[in-house]
Amino acid sequence: MRKNFLYIAKASNPYENLAIEEYMVKLAEEETLKNHSVFSLLLWQSDNAIVIGQNQNANRECNFDVVKDRNIKIVRRKTGGGAVYQDLGNLNFSFVISKDIYTKEKVFEFIIKSLSTIGINAHFSGRNDILVGEQKFSGNAFRHFKNVSLHHGTILISTDLDLAERCLTPDKFKLKKHSVTSVKSRIVNLSNIVKINVEEVINALIKTFKECSDGEIIVPSFDDKILSKMTSEFADEKWIYSKNIDDSLVIKTFQGNVRFHINEDNGKIGSCDYETDILEDDFLKDFFAGLSGVNIDKESLINYKDSIEIEQSFEMDILDLICEKIINDMVNK
């Protein structure tokens, strides 16, 4: 039996809306334990916020002079990838879907099909972008739980792109890899393509959701105390500013950058801290967690790296670069 959950958030508080998203993951996991398949969609908006990836450094991604002047909220989500500016001209979507029926491609097809009904001819590009022509209007990120997958993203409709460019301070290498000179030159509002507004996009997504749903559509309900606690956790400055690495080693790749700091402990690696804007970065969490206790010598580092099970080739390429950086900067110093 499938459970179809649809929720349109009323508030524009990004902390609350990310808490609702997390709550929907919780509900979906509970339904899967009852042998229910889950297909959920949350639509929400944030008013004047910069949303950074789970392992990014807010101080490195944001222009705080503009942030303070325009009273822009800084928000840390629990998925990887880079920072985005959001206002009421942007629509966020969050799919929470049972793993047995989820694929990234199906979600992209859902978005593209929905937008085609209002005159937008879009296509999927790379690992997480949806484009019109060569310009991006939607970035996506993913996280996989025990029984469900979270896939969320943005849809730029009438966002203030000038303010977005002033707020964000992306690494120049990231712009170079996309062959652009600025954030603004790479992205586009859908209202510049077709005369549409946010409400029309919401209606198009709801229409497609109803067509795809197998059975009754349910509006989920949330316990106010639990939701309030989750909201407070997202708004906690300790969470928002939890990544702040200064004295560090850095590698830059086409998948994203990794900045890391390693504490030495009697010839062995002690604790490790890292930042990254790589999209699906769980392999880095596992790598750095296991690195503690490894001898700081070339043979030990390479043996440890080679012992790790890797799903995608680019992940091993990145680990090769990290080990090379450690060897050059710590072993051969």
Side-chain angles (χ1 to χ4, degrees):
M1 179 179 177
R2 179 187 287 186
K3 292 283 187 175
N4 305 294
F5 294 104
L6 176 63
Y7 193 84
I8 316 299
K10 300 176 181 63
S12 60
N13 179 340
Y15 308 117
E16 179 178 330
N17 287 327
L18 283 172
I20 291 172
E21 178 186 83
E22 186 168 61
Y23 208 141
M24 289 183 72
V25 170
K26 176 179 180 293
L27 292 176
E29 287 283 2
E30 290 171 357
E31 291 295 335
T32 62
L33 295 178
K34 302 173 187 175
N35 294 320
H36 293 154
S37 184
V38 178
F39 182 51
S40 304
L41 174 61
L42 164 67
L43 298 175
W44 52 286
Q45 291 177 275
S46 297
D47 191 9
N48 288 352
I50 295 176
V51 183
I52 62 174
Q54 66 175 340
N55 287 311
Q56 287 191 294
N57 181 341
N59 296 305
R60 216 178 301 283
E61 300 300 325
C62 309
N63 182 337
F64 276 91
D65 289 337
V66 178
V67 166
K68 292 174 182 177
D69 182 60
R70 301 299 290 266
N71 195 28
I72 295 169
K73 297 179 178 67
I74 306 297
V75 188
R76 182 184 298 279
R77 62 182 186 268
K78 294 186 178 181
T79 55
V84 292
Y85 169 76
Q86 299 182 1
D87 59 20
L88 295 180
N90 170 75
L91 177 66
N92 297 286
F93 58 84
S94 303
F95 287 89
V96 182
I97 305 174
S98 296
K99 281 185 175 179
D100 61 339
I101 60 173
Y102 167 78
T103 68
K104 181 169 61 175
E105 291 73 21
K106 285 181 180 178
V107 173
F108 287 126
E109 289 169 6
F110 182 107
I111 300 299
I112 290 168
K113 177 184 176 182
S114 301
L115 295 176
S116 70
T117 66
I118 50 176
I120 301 294
N121 181 21
H123 62 95
F124 165 56
S125 175
R127 298 182 64 224
N128 70 321
D129 295 340
I130 309 177
L131 282 62
V132 172
E134 296 300 318
Q135 290 185 293
K136 171 181 172 178
F137 67 87
S138 175
N140 294 243
F142 329 98
R143 188 178 180 192
H144 305 290
F145 298 85
K146 183 176 181 181
N147 298 303
V148 302
S149 292
L150 167 65
H151 180 142
H152 60 189
T154 57
I155 300 179
L156 298 176
I157 301 162
S158 55
T159 292
D160 187 337
L161 300 186
D162 289 322
L163 182 55
E165 185 168 49
R166 291 171 56 210
C167 286
L168 300 173
T169 54
D171 187 282
K172 291 181 180 179
F173 181 83
K174 181 181 288 189
L175 297 176
K176 184 178 179 181
K177 78 177 182 180
H178 292 295
S179 301
V180 296
T181 56
S182 66
V183 173
K184 184 180 174 183
S185 64
R186 188 178 175 237
I187 58 180
V188 67
N189 277 314
L190 292 185
S191 61
N192 289 348
I193 309 298
V194 176
K195 190 176 181 181
I196 56 170
N197 55 39
V198 173
E199 185 177 358
E200 289 174 289
V201 176
I202 290 173
N203 291 337
L205 293 169
I206 291 173
K207 181 175 182 292
T208 303
F209 184 84
K210 290 178 178 178
E211 292 172 354
C212 295
S213 299
D214 180 14
E216 178 188 6
I217 295 176
I218 303 164
V219 178
S221 58
F222 309 107
D223 182 290
D224 288 341
K225 288 184 179 179
I226 295 175
L227 183 60
S228 177
K229 182 176 183 295
M230 289 179 169
T231 301
S232 297
E233 289 171 354
F234 275 105
D236 188 342
E237 289 196 352
K238 289 182 180 178
W239 163 250
I240 296 169
Y241 298 102
S242 59
K243 295 284 184 178
N244 190 12
I245 302 172
D246 292 322
D247 179 17
S248 54
L249 308 173
V250 183
I251 65 162
K252 298 188 177 186
T253 80
F254 282 99
Q255 299 294 339
N257 300 337
V258 184
R259 181 182 296 267
F260 57 101
H261 176 77
I262 291 175
N263 292 306
E264 186 174 349
D265 184 11
N266 293 321
K268 296 181 182 290
I269 292 175
S271 60
C272 307
D273 299 306
Y274 72 98
E275 303 168 14
T276 186
D277 59 355
I278 291 175
L279 184 60
E280 295 180 87
D281 59 2
D282 285 346
F283 74 100
L284 286 174
K285 179 181 178 182
D286 295 339
F287 173 80
F288 282 114
L291 195 58
S292 180
V294 173
N295 289 329
I296 303 178
D297 62 67
K298 183 175 181 179
E299 183 179 0
S300 297
L301 288 163
I302 291 175
N303 286 342
Y304 167 67
K305 179 205 64 178
D306 291 343
S307 72
I308 296 173
E309 294 184 6
I310 290 296
E311 292 185 3
Q312 301 187 62
S313 60
F314 83 85
E315 295 175 350
M316 184 53 74
D317 292 340
I318 290 172
L319 297 188
D320 282 339
L321 290 172
I322 291 173
C323 284
E324 182 181 328
K325 189 69 176 175
I326 297 172
I327 291 166
N328 288 338
D329 287 52
M330 297 185 72
V331 177
N332 299 333
K333 62 183 179 180

